[in-house]
Amino acid sequence: MTLSVADYAVIIAFFAINLGIGLYYARRGGKNLTEFFLSGRNVPWWLAGVSMVATTFAVDTPLAVTGFVTQHGIAGNWVWWSSVMSGILTVFFFAKLWRRAGVLTDVEFIELRYSGKAAAALRFVRAIFQGVIVNTIIMGWVNLAMAKVLQLTLHVDKLSALAVCLVFTGVYVTIGGLWGVLVTDVLQFVVKMSMAIVLAVSAVAAVGGIGALETKLAVIDAAHKITTTSGSILAFFPTSNEAWLPMLTFVTYIGVQWWASSYPGAEPGGGGYIAQRIFSAKSENDSLLATLFFNVAHYALRPWPWILVALAALVLYPNGTIGNDGKVDPELNYITTMIDHLPAWLRGLMIAGFLSAYMSTMGTHLNLGASYLTNDIYRRFMKPNASERHYVVVSRVATLIVMVLAIAGANLNNSVSGAYVYLYNLTAGVGLVMILRWYWWRVSAWSEIAALVASAVISNALLFFHVFTDANANAEVLLVTVPITTLVWIVVTYLMPAESDATLLRFYERVRPSAFGWKRIASLARPAPGAEPLGINAIDWLAGCGLVYGALFGIGKIVLGSVGTGLGYLAIAAACGAVIAYNVTRAERATRAAASLAATAPI
């Protein structure tokens, strides 16, 4: 692929604008750690929500989706579509609680909820696990995807390509902190989403339109090149026990994985960069709306341009795309489609779109990784009483350290979609304890430690020794790991002492979860209005799932030509949205009334 002078001018201008934003926020982000990592807790819901979506729209995402569709049809996306239920759980059961916690990172939360040496050790280990290990794996697959793009499009070597992109991203993140990340995320999201749509239109046009695409895919179905039984590439759900998406795997995704596995961006109970954006929101209501917007945009709005390109690529490249290693790599079909079928005059913008996807995700993970290293390791265990200015300097150094780890991580992964699945398996069984620690007083630091150790040991042993090798292997690893891990942490919970009443009371009075699992502690607490109503939250959770899935399937059906069915799904989504709007508005009025009453009550 050859770029013109105009293309290079577009790319250079894009770099310059992002750098300018970072420089603009340099002074504001350098005031203290709260400004550097949380934008002073003053971010409106729409900015926090767009930033969440931009972060999850990485350069690896369209490549991973292309891999899923190529190997498993549209229904292959259930590996991540199932996480809708976890994401919506965060919206209505955890977003406000996270905001009330008032911590700087989700790892700092550990020493709010627990106490003693076990809590300190858990905080240190989780900071290393999330800030170094998991963060490096994620940045590694993002770097891998960007390298694939630049190697095929610009024919540059892997190290040179990554050095330019990563160093530039590291510079504006180091300078501007989270404010720089948030504002550049908006620009980057607009650019990359626009170009994803343009590429989808170009790819479908190259096949001959939607009708021709469906006809040609039906031929592939009939020839059993993708499916092995009666299923269809275009099916949203598996229609039988197909080899490309066995029913056991599908049921595991929707019945177990979403609550059992802790995956970045879809953690049961929230966490990582989702929690960071929640902390940065200027109010509890802003945190809820930001997280709701993120889930709708993440699952319902973004996937279809990628899916359309993946489907078109199945027709355009029936034999796949050969990678630099000489092997067929289904993820490369997305890039090949861009090279062959995007109008030449849009190539510079498309590269800018890929850069946007890369920079928005890497910017967040550089900032997030630095927050763990600075707040949860350096300030907590190495130098706890330094000035805020000192910690900001350390944060900027930590960002550069995370950048070096990102380069190292690029050599750890060979497959983007494979890395996705590995992280789901690695944390299998951890999710339940992450949920219950908010709603059950008996959960202790030892519960979390037991869950983390058990899930890591069991899942890695099953994977390392290749215990399962059939089409259901990933589901079988999950179905073995989850019950064993759950049994281990529950037994440990009852064998080890509970947290002290003082610790539990401090947590309960600050966060105000539902009293259902905290009755004894709630009886000791000072009056704390606004404890979470579980019944209303449950209704909103069901409505939220209906909203996202209704919008997802509705948009998909309309895009694929089934307008009537699509409008039916969208009507379901609208009805669910109305239920949520009513409940959220009513809750906000009740909160304001309680606050007004408390302000006027005699002391």
Side-chain angles (χ1 to χ4, degrees):
M1 183 171 128
T2 303
L3 298 182
S4 67
V5 173
D7 292 325
Y8 282 111
V10 169
I11 296 170
I12 292 171
F14 178 77
F15 273 121
I17 292 172
N18 282 274
L19 181 59
I21 292 172
L23 290 170
Y24 180 82
Y25 285 102
R27 186 173 182 180
R28 187 170 183 177
K31 289 181 180 179
N32 52 55
L33 282 190
T34 302
E35 285 288 350
F36 192 83
F37 289 125
L38 298 182
S39 299
R41 303 187 193 271
N42 196 36
V43 179
W45 70 267
W46 63 268
L47 182 55
V50 169
S51 181
M52 291 181 193
V53 184
T55 296
T56 54
F57 186 165
V59 68
D60 62 285
T61 323
L63 272 63
V65 169
T66 301
F68 294 144
V69 173
T70 301
Q71 299 173 71
H72 309 299
I74 289 177
N77 287 287
W78 279 103
V79 70
W80 64 287
W81 283 353
S82 62
S83 295
V84 166
M85 292 175 280
S86 176
I88 298 299
L89 200 72
T90 299
V91 174
F92 296 110
F93 283 86
F94 300 104
K96 289 186 176 181
L97 303 188
W98 274 120
R99 184 63 179 79
R100 290 173 196 160
V103 292
L104 191 73
T105 69
D106 57 323
V107 173
E108 182 183 340
F109 169 85
I110 290 169
E111 290 196 291
L112 170 64
R113 176 61 177 82
Y114 315 123
S115 62
K117 293 181 179 179
L122 177 60
R123 180 175 178 180
F124 181 83
V125 171
R126 284 297 295 267
I128 296 294
F129 178 72
Q130 291 179 214
V132 177
I133 299 174
V134 173
N135 211 44
T136 299
I137 291 174
I138 295 170
M139 292 188 296
W141 79 49
V142 174
N143 277 325
L144 173 66
M146 193 65 199
K148 288 182 178 183
V149 170
L150 296 179
Q151 284 175 314
L152 276 182
T153 56
L154 302 182
H155 307 292
V156 295
D157 66 275
K158 183 177 182 179
L159 186 58
S160 298
L162 293 179
V164 173
C165 298
L166 185 57
V167 169
F168 180 83
T169 306
V171 167
Y172 82 75
V173 173
T174 302
I175 293 172
L178 187 63
W179 273 119
V181 173
L182 292 172
V183 177
T184 54
D185 275 350
V186 175
L187 169 66
Q188 291 162 0
F189 179 70
V190 171
V191 172
K192 60 191 175 184
M193 194 67 201
S194 300
M195 294 315 299
I197 293 171
V198 169
L199 181 58
V201 171
S202 300
V204 171
V207 174
I210 288 292
L213 175 62
E214 292 181 328
T215 300
K216 292 173 182 178
L217 289 175
V219 173
I220 296 176
D221 279 335
H224 303 283
K225 291 181 179 178
I226 300 298
T227 61
T228 58
T229 57
S230 58
S232 169
I233 299 166
L234 295 175
F236 290 4
F237 302 89
T239 54
S240 63
N241 194 37
E242 295 151 3
W244 56 272
L245 184 61
M247 190 59 68
L248 176 62
T249 299
F250 173 71
V251 171
T252 302
Y253 287 161
I254 64 172
V256 178
Q257 180 174 273
W258 67 270
W259 59 264
S261 294
S262 181
Y263 179 83
E267 298 92 341
Y273 57 82
I274 299 300
Q276 185 190 40
R277 299 307 190 270
I278 291 172
F279 302 153
S280 72
K282 64 182 181 180
S283 70
E284 292 178 18
N285 211 45
D286 280 270
S287 69
L288 184 149
L289 292 175
T291 317
L292 179 61
F293 173 83
F294 158 68
N295 279 278
V296 174
H298 175 60
Y299 292 105
L301 300 181
R302 299 182 319 155
W304 289 108
W306 307 331
I307 292 172
L308 286 174
V309 173
L311 294 173
L314 284 171
V315 175
L316 296 170
Y317 310 104
N319 297 318
T321 300
I322 306 296
N324 289 331
D325 58 0
K327 299 178 181 178
V328 174
D329 185 345
E331 295 172 357
L332 294 180
N333 282 354
Y334 190 91
I335 306 171
T336 306
T337 304
M338 179 195 76
I339 293 172
D340 292 346
H341 299 286
L342 190 73
W345 59 276
L346 285 174
R347 287 175 177 172
L349 279 174
M350 192 67 201
I351 295 297
F354 275 117
L355 289 171
S356 296
Y358 174 84
M359 291 163 62
S360 61
T361 302
M362 291 302 297
T364 285
H365 283 284
L366 290 173
N367 184 267
L368 182 66
S371 73
Y372 293 136
L373 296 180
T374 304
N375 186 64
D376 300 300
I377 296 178
Y378 183 80
R379 184 164 75 168
R380 172 61 181 85
F381 296 101
M382 299 172 68
K383 197 166 185 177
N385 298 312
S387 67
E388 285 294 319
R389 191 169 297 277
H390 173 80
Y391 290 131
V392 170
V393 172
V394 172
S395 300
R396 287 173 167 155
V397 173
T399 304
L400 298 178
I401 293 173
V402 176
M403 187 174 69
V404 173
L405 293 173
I407 295 175
N411 297 315
L412 298 177
N413 298 315
N414 294 318
S415 167
V416 175
S417 55
Y420 276 35
V421 175
Y422 174 72
L423 272 187
Y424 274 120
N425 288 328
L426 178 66
T427 58
V430 172
L432 189 59
V433 73
M434 305 301 284
I435 291 171
L436 290 180
R437 65 182 183 174
W438 296 86
Y439 288 99
W440 184 29
W441 71 273
R442 192 61 181 80
V443 172
S444 69
W446 292 108
S447 308
E448 281 200 42
I449 292 170
L452 285 168
V453 172
S455 64
V457 170
I458 296 167
S459 62
N460 276 301
L462 294 173
L463 294 170
F464 181 78
F465 292 106
H466 304 288
V467 175
F468 302 111
T469 57
D470 61 8
N472 283 306
N474 290 321
E476 289 162 342
V477 169
L478 200 71
L479 291 175
V480 170
T481 305
V482 170
I484 296 176
T485 299
T486 302
L487 178 62
V488 167
W489 77 255
I490 289 177
V491 169
V492 169
T493 297
Y494 282 105
L495 287 178
M496 301 303 291
E499 298 296 331
S500 68
D501 283 358
T503 299
L504 296 173
L505 191 60
R506 177 191 62 185
F507 172 79
Y508 184 81
E509 290 182 342
R510 181 188 293 191
V511 177
R512 305 194 306 278
S514 169
F516 179 77
W518 291 81
K519 290 182 180 178
R520 186 178 67 83
I521 303 301
S523 67
L524 302 174
R526 293 180 286 104
E532 292 301 293
L534 292 184
I536 299 298
N537 288 351
I539 292 171
D540 284 340
W541 176 73
L542 291 172
C545 292
L547 168 62
V548 176
Y549 282 128
L552 171 66
F553 301 144
I555 293 170
K557 287 295 184 182
I558 290 173
V559 165
L560 294 172
S562 299
V563 177
T565 304
L567 291 175
Y569 276 120
L570 291 180
I572 293 173
C576 291
V579 171
I580 293 170
Y582 173 77
N583 285 336
V584 169
T585 302
R586 186 176 63 173
E588 181 67 10
R589 288 174 180 168
T591 299
R592 290 176 180 173
S596 176
L597 183 63
T600 57
I603 298 176

